[in-house]
Amino acid sequence: MTVREESGNDALVRMAGVQKWFGDLHVLQDIDLEVARGEVVVVIGPSGSGKSTLCRTINRLETIDKGEITIDGAPLPEEGKALAAHRADVGMVFQSFNLFAHKTILENVTLGPIKVRRKSKADAEKRAQELLDRVGVGHQANKYPAQLSGGQQQRVAIARALAMDPKVMLFDEPTSALDPEMIKEVLDVMVDLAERGMTMIVVTHEMGFARTAANHVIFMADGQIVEKSDPETFFTNPQSDRAKDFLGKILKH
Amino acid sequence: MDVVWENREAILIGFTHTILLFVIAGIGSLLLGTLLAAMRVGPIGVLRVAAVIYVSLVRNTPLLMILLLFRFGLPKVDIKFSFVDVVIPTTAGDIRLNNIFTACVLGLTVYTAAFVAEAIRSGINAVPLGQAEAARAIGLPFGGVMREVILPQAFRATVPPLASVQIALIKNTTVAGAVGVVEAFNVMRSMTNNYAGSRIEIFIAFAIIFVFLVEIYSFAAHRLERRWRIA
């Protein structure tokens, strides 16, 4: 199914006819997607539906077999320096945080700005401290990741991505590895980010976040985009049987 | 033990050569081995294959054959190491860093690097994949990912196996004695020839010094392992 109702010229992320196979498994089937500047798109769907893979193709942590992905009009580079430069413009937050275990919180946030953006150490640290304060872990700057709770680590990971001044932020199930009481602190940071106008693509099971912050909800199943609509319509009046079935299962309890 | 004490200067020079072989080949193999390990996990296919071939070829060849190649084989095709000829006179005798010494240092470096590469590769594999993904995601190129994120963590996981490789190197320096470097084993052999009646004492004295050297190294490695574990 093609979803392209508001293909304006301001599409920041554009996927056209994207196909990907893992062996025989057709994990992404003819994906067309446009995300406009400042838009928040939430991707939901059952596990194995390809939503994480879709998210990871946008900074080429997963390669695609067919189709095209462009960011800000420029197609994704294949490899090498151009790809690294592209990734610097795309922030990514992982399910398992992936903070650099051997570096302090502050060093985690300054590494990219210093090594990739060539900022001075002083500038990078100043900005890092601001971002850490903003996500509420400023006083932990000199600790190591293992000394922080999961929720704190994930907020640091968001600060690390923001330190690169990305054009778009990708969130790959950012709260799935967290204890329930820590989910809110991460979602609060994400909502704040959305309100500040960041372009975000968020793979999540957090329906509350989708309702609060999303402009669009994309429902994926079996490697396809089955449905795309605004959150209210999606949750109250899903069109496809697949989405009705999915919502019935997750909203029951 | 009189024999040992009378020859203390020769023994001292012998062990000085041993330690120099170990330190230079140790550092050289660490650098070459790290490069090989990075090639092995890197994105360039040709380099990956080259590293695999290097490791299996060198690791499967006896050290003595590699040293013979560097000491006698390469000079036959005019790769001599005679440009190195340093003599450091000391009160105990001369420390000689000549073509034979250089050939042996290179041979030991090439040989040990294969084992270092495998030890570091096991360390790299111990670093969770997410670390590399996060490093790539902030825009670091392959070299930066390795240098800033993967290798520092890999080295931590690699300290115990690397220590074993380097301890083997300390003992492997004795093979250089067989091809003409006047290191500890070489000194010991001439002493056992000259003092046939005191062989046991001579053996024991050299063994004790070797154990002592290895213990110092093990202790340092252990300290390093503990200090890095905390961080």
Side-chain angles (χ1 to χ4, degrees):
Chain A
M1 179 181 162
T2 317
V3 188
R4 237 184 216 174
E5 49 269 331
E6 70 287 278
S7 40
N9 290 326
D10 206 24
L12 184 59
V13 178
R14 193 168 151 273
M15 303 176 82
V18 170
Q19 312 267 5
K20 180 176 178 64
W21 286 264
F22 283 134
D24 287 339
L25 195 65
H26 199 171
V27 285
L28 292 179
Q29 302 180 21
D30 201 22
I31 301 290
D32 291 309
L33 173 68
E34 292 194 351
V35 181
R37 213 173 295 275
E39 233 182 8
V40 176
V41 171
V42 164
V43 185
I44 63 174
S47 59
S49 60
K51 54 193 193 302
S52 273
T53 308
L54 178 133
C55 186
R56 290 162 58 86
T57 57
I58 297 171
N59 66 354
R60 217 178 150 84
L61 285 179
E62 298 286 354
T63 55
I64 58 175
D65 296 313
K66 262 188 192 162
E68 194 186 41
I69 300 175
T70 58
I71 308 274
D72 225 356
L76 274 192
E78 293 271 310
E79 272 299 332
K81 284 213 162 66
L83 179 60
H86 161 84
R87 283 176 173 149
D89 287 339
V90 178
M92 175 114 191
V93 175
F94 299 87
Q95 180 177 351
S96 47
F97 330 135
N98 297 347
L99 293 182
F100 306 130
H102 62 302
K103 292 191 180 291
T104 64
I105 297 309
L106 191 68
E107 288 166 348
N108 262 276
V109 183
T110 57
L111 180 66
I114 292 172
K115 295 291 170 188
V116 179
R117 295 280 190 232
R118 304 283 166 200
K119 279 194 187 179
S120 74
K121 191 162 179 257
D123 286 352
E125 285 182 351
K126 185 166 168 285
R127 170 96 169 113
Q129 193 61 52
E130 284 168 15
L131 287 166
L132 288 172
D133 288 338
R134 183 169 136 197
V135 300
V137 286
H139 54 294
Q140 315 272 23
N142 294 314
K143 291 189 179 170
Y144 284 90
Q147 296 170 287
L148 269 57
S149 73
Q152 290 171 330
Q153 288 191 50
Q154 193 62 300
R155 285 182 283 153
V156 173
I158 294 173
R160 175 176 68 182
L162 290 176
M164 301 300 290
D165 297 316
K167 293 175 179 168
V168 52
M169 288 278 285
L170 308 175
F171 294 82
D172 185 6
E173 303 205 27
T175 57
S176 298
L178 294 175
D179 291 338
E181 74 265 32
M182 291 172 188
I183 291 176
K184 184 176 178 300
E185 65 191 47
V186 171
L187 291 180
D188 285 347
V189 169
M190 290 168 61
V191 170
D192 174 63
L193 202 55
E195 283 168 356
R196 288 165 184 253
M198 175 60 77
T199 310
M200 296 163 67
I201 297 172
V202 185
V203 176
T204 187
H205 296 294
E206 295 300 327
M207 302 305 152
F209 175 80
R211 280 174 185 264
T212 314
N215 300 104
H216 295 285
V217 171
I218 283 175
F219 177 73
M220 281 188 78
D222 306 321
Q224 290 172 318
I225 294 180
V226 178
E227 206 162 324
K228 178 179 178 182
S229 53
D230 65 276
E232 210 44 51
T233 311
F234 177 75
F235 288 114
T236 53
N237 187 20
Q239 299 301 305
S240 61
D241 291 343
R242 198 75 182 75
K244 282 176 195 161
D245 180 52
F246 178 75
L247 288 172
K249 278 175 187 154
I250 60 163
L251 296 178
K252 204 175 256 174
H253 295 287
Chain B
M1 281 294 169
D2 287 351
V3 177
V4 175
W5 183 247
E6 279 162 22
N7 289 281
R8 62 188 179 278
E9 294 192 333
I11 296 173
L12 191 65
I13 290 296
F15 272 103
T16 304
H17 283 130
T18 296
I19 291 169
L20 284 172
L21 283 170
F22 165 64
V23 170
I24 302 172
I27 293 170
S29 62
L30 212 53
L31 295 174
L32 182 58
T34 305
L35 181 69
L36 285 165
M39 282 163 63
R40 182 80 192 265
V41 300
I44 303 169
V46 181
L47 295 182
R48 259 200 315 269
V49 172
V52 171
I53 292 173
Y54 180 102
V55 167
S56 41
L57 205 65
V58 171
R59 203 164 53 149
N60 299 353
T61 309
L63 173 59
L64 183 58
M65 289 170 88
I66 290 177
L67 290 192
L68 289 173
L69 173 76
F70 274 83
R71 172 72 184 86
F72 300 110
L74 292 183
K76 287 246 162 33
V77 292
D78 245 17
I79 302 173
K80 297 171 179 155
F81 307 103
S82 42
F83 54 88
V84 182
D85 194 9
V86 183
V87 179
I88 306 165
T90 70
T91 50
D94 290 349
I95 298 168
R96 273 175 201 283
L97 311 181
N98 54 11
N99 57 326
I100 307 174
F101 180 87
T102 307
C104 286
V105 161
L106 290 176
L108 285 166
T109 301
V110 162
Y111 177 77
T112 309
F115 294 88
V116 169
E118 285 299 280
I120 290 178
R121 194 167 67 90
S122 77
I124 290 173
N125 289 342
V127 178
L129 183 63
Q131 295 284 310
E133 288 190 339
R136 285 152 68 197
I138 59 169
L140 287 170
F142 176 75
V145 174
M146 291 303 283
R147 205 166 45 242
E148 300 294 335
V149 176
I150 303 302
L151 286 177
Q153 295 187 60
F155 278 127
R156 277 156 216 234
T158 308
V159 171
L162 266 189
S164 296
V165 170
Q166 303 288 52
I167 283 167
L169 172 61
I170 298 182
K171 297 183 287 181
N172 283 342
T173 56
T174 53
V175 183
V179 295
V181 177
V182 189
E183 50 65 74
F185 174 75
N186 192 299
V187 173
M188 184 185 82
R189 209 171 44 170
S190 40
M191 281 177 68
T192 50
N193 286 341
N194 295 340
Y195 309 95
S198 311
R199 274 185 184 156
I200 303 291
E201 290 101 302
I202 294 167
F203 271 131
I204 290 174
F206 275 86
I208 287 173
I209 299 173
F210 263 111
V211 168
F212 187 66
L213 282 182
V214 173
E215 266 312 306
I216 293 175
Y217 186 78
S218 309
F219 179 74
H222 187 68
R223 286 291 295 270
L224 194 64
E225 190 188 336
R226 274 183 37 184
R227 204 176 67 183
W228 273 1
R229 195 187 294 153
I230 298 161

